Amino acid sequence: MGTLRNNPFFLTRLPHNKDLAAAIGDAFKEAGVPTGWFSVIGATKKAILAFYDQAEKGYRELLFPMPGEIVTCTGNVTTLDGKPFVHAHITIGFSDGTTRGGHLMKGTVLFAGELFGVAFEGELERVYDEVTGLRLWKP
Ligand code: ZN
């Protein structure tokens, strides 16, 4: 059903009008893969990205309320608080050919998406890191 699997890789079509980060999480869940790496190409109807302010230790949101091409979106699925967690960075191309990029936030809506996933065995857990203020992989 729109998914090709050749362990440890899989290809999946992402659904129209769905939140991109949630769709990536669902694709891994449906493939039965709790830990992995991915790449997505496609298009967005609107996008919310973020820039991590290293001094303030907080995300600054960047809203792009127009259609765009997903030039590249890459990231991973690992474990946070016992649940699968999607971390993605994205570059979006706009109608004038310019690109913008950053950390993918909730609220980015898919027009279309094609995901290439790589499965890993086992779990990689995220924990809070005092130095960066981020939830990084357990050392
Ligand atoms: Zn990030």
Side-chain angles (χ1 to χ4, degrees):
M1 291 191 297
T3 300
L4 284 178
R5 179 104 200 237
N6 180 14
N7 212 6
F9 308 114
F10 62 102
L11 290 171
T12 304
R13 172 181 159 173
L14 301 178
H16 180 75
N17 261 349
K18 196 134 190 230
D19 180 88
L20 175 55
I24 293 167
D26 289 349
F28 273 79
K29 199 174 169 187
E30 282 159 26
V33 177
T35 306
W37 192 268
F38 59 82
S39 173
V40 175
I41 57 169
T44 53
K45 294 174 89 171
K46 67 168 191 168
I48 303 176
L49 315 186
F51 176 82
Y52 189 71
D53 187 319
Q54 296 176 9
E56 296 290 321
K57 292 186 180 175
Y59 285 101
R60 276 196 258 141
E61 284 197 356
L62 307 162
L63 175 64
F64 300 99
M66 66 288 245
E69 298 284 338
I70 302 172
V71 176
T72 186
C73 174
T74 192
N76 55 70
V77 180
T78 55
T79 307
L80 177 67
D81 299 329
K83 292 181 200 151
F85 178 81
V86 174
H87 180 206
H89 286 193
I90 185 168
T91 304
I92 300 180
F94 295 104
S95 60
D96 63 357
T98 60
T99 55
R100 298 295 186 93
H103 176 96
L104 176 67
M105 301 294 279
K106 242 179 212 164
T108 297
V109 180
L110 274 164
F111 182 73
E114 297 174 344
L115 178 142
F116 168 69
V118 181
F120 288 85
E121 283 180 18
E123 282 187 15
L124 199 51
E125 209 181 314
R126 289 186 179 274
V127 290
Y128 180 75
D129 176 65
E130 292 276 344
V131 176
T132 61
L134 294 166
R135 294 167 297 184
L136 302 178
W137 292 333
K138 217 171 180 173

